[in-house]
Amino acid sequence: MVFPAGGRGTGPDGPGRGAARSEAPTVVMRPTLTGRALVPAQSGPVEIPALAWSAAEWEDAYQRVRLSGRAYVWLNLVEQRLRALVDEVLHPIYAPAHGEDWVTAAAGPAGEEWAHRAGAVREVSRRKGYLLDPADDDPLVFLTLPQLRELMVQHWPCFEPYLADRREIELALDELEVARHVVSRNRVLTQTVLAQTERAAARLLAVLDGGAGGVPADVVESLVAGRYADVVAVHADRVRLQRDLPVEDLLDGARRLDALGIGLGMLCQNYTGKRLVRLAGEGCRVRLLFLNPASSAVRRRERELGLGRSELSRSIEMNIMHVRRVRARLRDQGGFEIRVFDETPRFTAYLVEGPRTPGQAGGRRQGRDLGVIQPYLRRARGMESPALVLRGGAGQQPGGTEPGLLEVYREEFEGIWADSRSVS
């Protein structure tokens, strides 16, 4: 818009105004980017601000999404579990007398306002077609996490026979409130708060299940692995792998360990002999496959890495001697097998079978079978090679028959084991 400097709305026949209008400077009014006000534009070229994000700004936004997304998954799972628990306990008490209004009746005078508000939101969702699943046409679905908590607190005598520790539940819900507010408003979530949220959510889910284990695997890992055939993490090298997944955590509670590699350095150098003796003594079946230190494949690998003659073979021999000493300290040495193979090594694999829980499919607790796979690169040592973390069954689609990567590597291990030779 352009207005004369002498004023707006002056007619052409105004006395003495035409000359002033022709001589006065012109002021150009431009709207701001928000469109809220008119400001005088600068004389000369106007610099238009760049609207595109820089690479650093995109990366910052991605990082926020990663943190908030992880927290959202845990919060969503907690809310679903708490909602189901409230329904199981309170529905049989109030629904026979109050029908669909049972939630309002359970809320009582103190919660009548938010119960009616939830009912109004439910009606709007019905009219506008927001209820995509008939199972969501339920009054409990429209209650927030604090409101579900309030129902539980008001009726604690009804929940007490099923839940041991009310204080533990309330403390965990308190810890989740910070993340819930941040995530619901798309604000910045810190790594510290995320870690607190994941610990509190896992602890709460275990308590709500009566201490039956809750979530044995990382929920987000399982969701990601559904797209990537069991792969739940990728690390650029073994240093980053061991920072996020130490060997102690990998082998914690293991019932079976199958390991294949040139020298199995991650096991022999980062896991003490005492720990390995204790693990085997607790019933873990161990099968270790080393590359034969006298094979021609060792010499080829030494040339690839630029090592001196027999340098790698001596390292393998030392590791084999270490695990032989471990085996010698066991009462049942039949469950600790050591073999060597002569084929060209293609990867290192640590395949861990977790503890079994009676009453579940196949007798195995879902999500506890793990695998760490490292391919061999021509010029890189094992410490410098990328590592994949696999979680068994995480990539299996419901009703699917395609095996995940963990099963593929198990088959490969069995094939090499069948062609190997025992070490006395």
Side-chain angles (χ1 to χ4, degrees), residues 129-143:
Y130 295 159
L131 292 175
L132 305 182
D133 189 337
D136 285 340
D137 191 7
D138 186 283
L140 277 180
V141 172
F142 298 89
L143 298 185

Side-chain angles (χ1 to χ4, degrees), residues 144-158:
T144 64
L145 193 57
Q147 291 164 357
L148 292 170
R149 171 186 181 172
E150 185 63 26
L151 280 177
M152 178 181 288
V153 170
Q154 286 182 22
H155 300 83
W156 180 250
C158 301

Side-chain angles (χ1 to χ4, degrees), residues 88-106:
E88 290 170 9
V89 175
L90 297 185
H91 187 272
I93 298 174
Y94 286 95
H98 300 278
E100 282 202 354
D101 294 329
W102 73 268
V103 172
T104 304

Side-chain angles (χ1 to χ4, degrees), residues 276-334:
L276 195 52
V277 169
R278 184 164 60 247
L279 183 70
E282 291 172 352
C284 180
R285 309 287 292 183
V286 178
R287 294 191 295 175
L288 305 179
L289 261 176
F290 293 87
L291 180 62
N292 187 350
S295 68
S296 58
V298 171
R299 292 193 290 274
R300 286 196 299 272
R301 185 61 178 165
E302 286 173 340
R303 288 195 296 270
E304 286 180 349
L305 297 178
L307 300 177
R309 185 176 178 82
S310 300
E311 188 173 344
L312 182 58
S313 62
R314 284 195 299 268
S315 175
I316 298 172
E317 289 171 356
M318 288 179 59
N319 289 348
I320 293 176
M321 290 175 61
H322 167 68
V323 295
R324 287 178 65 195
R325 287 194 294 269
V326 169
R327 185 177 62 181
R329 295 168 60 184
L330 298 174
R331 290 184 179 179
D332 179 17
Q333 297 184 10

Side-chain angles (χ1 to χ4, degrees), residues 331-344:
R331 290 184 179 179
D332 179 17
Q333 297 184 10
F336 196 106
E337 300 180 74
I338 307 169
R339 292 192 179 188
V340 294
F341 66 97
D342 297 313
E343 302 176 20
T344 301

